[in-house]
Amino acid sequence: MPATDTPATENGVAHALHARRSVRAFTDRAVDQALLKDIFAAAQRAPSGGNLQPWQATLVTGAPWQAVKDAVAARTAMGREGYEPEYDIYPKGLTEPWEARRFGVGEALYASLGIPREDKRGRIAQFMDNYRGFGAPVMLFLHCSRIMGPPQWSDMGMWLQSVMLLLVEHGLASCPQECWAMYGATIRRTLALDDGQILFTGLAIGYADTEAAVNQWPVPRASIEDVIDWQGF
């Protein structure tokens, strides 16, 4: 039977892929640790080269989460002098079509909030909400040993996608946030992580505020014609 004739079920992978989005406004509803344990146990089925399973994660809520926010707030108050970047989040000299995609999604986000380009202060304030996890009650910090290379970082991405889809399946929302890597050393100190670990990303976890405009605007995706080259079909 052709794949197009098979409908996506409400608890299927395709449904989770369509339902998942980067949520930027959460409610204060607590997340049950037992539920998270079930989700992470399932995510351990994610593939990895040589079965290395290089991902390591630290989850924080309550006082430890507040300690991270406070520590990073102190660094952001220092401006550029406070940066402690782990890696370049975007390639230097980003060209088309990738630059247009990055610019477009940013403009759409601010438009959903009614923040025009000339409102620099408003845009900065919205960006700084990244470092509060957009109000999420739980933050996951994903890290790995510094001896790992690009293939293992790809493995971490597959694990992270598995986690995000499982969160959707259980009615939870998330937002992957590489911006935390700008303050990797601060986060390591605050969480007592070994310097042999490199921070990849944060993942805000909680229940979405479905009424918030920032969670409702459409996020475009490139067509498969733009990314798939069919040969021999």
Side-chain angles (χ1 to χ4, degrees):
M1 178 182 293
T4 52
D5 291 341
T6 305
T9 61
E10 285 197 4
N11 60 351
V13 176
H15 172 78
L17 278 165
H18 282 282
R20 191 216 66 80
R21 66 176 294 141
S22 294
V23 165
R24 292 180 174 86
F26 292 84
T27 71
D28 59 2
R29 179 182 172 185
V31 180
D32 182 58
Q33 184 185 25
L35 175 57
L36 290 175
K37 285 184 176 180
D38 288 344
I39 288 169
F40 292 122
Q44 283 301 107
R45 298 300 304 170
S48 61
N51 199 32
L52 294 188
Q53 303 171 66
W55 49 82
Q56 294 180 267
T58 300
L59 274 87
V60 294
T61 191
W65 177 205
Q66 188 61 51
V68 172
K69 288 184 280 190
D70 290 344
V72 171
R75 299 297 298 189
T76 61
M78 298 168 63
R80 291 185 177 275
E81 292 183 2
Y83 290 168
E84 298 173 303
E86 298 282 70
Y87 58 88
D88 291 330
I89 294 176
Y90 298 105
K92 291 182 172 65
L94 194 63
T95 57
E96 300 301 340
W98 307 288
E99 177 62 18
R101 292 174 187 168
R102 181 187 175 194
F103 178 80
V105 76
E107 288 302 299
L109 187 155
Y110 290 122
S112 74
L113 295 167
I115 304 175
R117 185 180 298 185
E118 58 270 18
D119 184 1
K120 303 298 184 184
R121 184 170 297 181
R123 291 193 169 203
I124 291 172
Q126 171 59 30
F127 179 78
M128 293 308 295
D129 202 28
N130 275 282
Y131 296 113
R132 292 182 286 274
F134 303 113
V138 175
M139 179 61 66
L140 178 154
F141 290 107
L142 181 57
H143 46 94
C144 70
S145 170
R146 289 185 183 275
I147 70 171
M148 300 299 174
Q152 289 75 49
W153 281 57
S154 172
D155 294 341
M156 283 197 292
M158 289 188 283
W159 179 84
L160 190 68
Q161 173 79 324
S162 299
V163 169
M164 289 189 288
L165 295 181
L166 287 162
L167 288 167
V168 170
E169 182 181 46
H170 290 279
L172 287 157
S174 65
C175 184
Q177 296 182 274
E178 292 171 316
C179 63
W180 292 99
M182 293 298 297
Y183 301 97
T186 299
I187 292 167
R188 277 196 302 277
R189 288 192 298 269
T190 307
L191 299 180
L193 299 179
D194 190 282
D195 283 343
Q197 294 286 303
I198 183 169
L199 180 68
F200 171 28
T201 188
L203 182 73
I205 298 173
Y207 292 92
D209 178 353
T210 57
E211 301 299 316
V214 74
N215 290 335
Q216 298 177 22
W217 56 279
V219 182
R221 288 292 188 266
S223 70
I224 63 170
E225 288 76 20
D226 290 333
V227 298
I228 304 295
D229 178 20
W230 303 93
Q231 297 190 15
F233 287 88

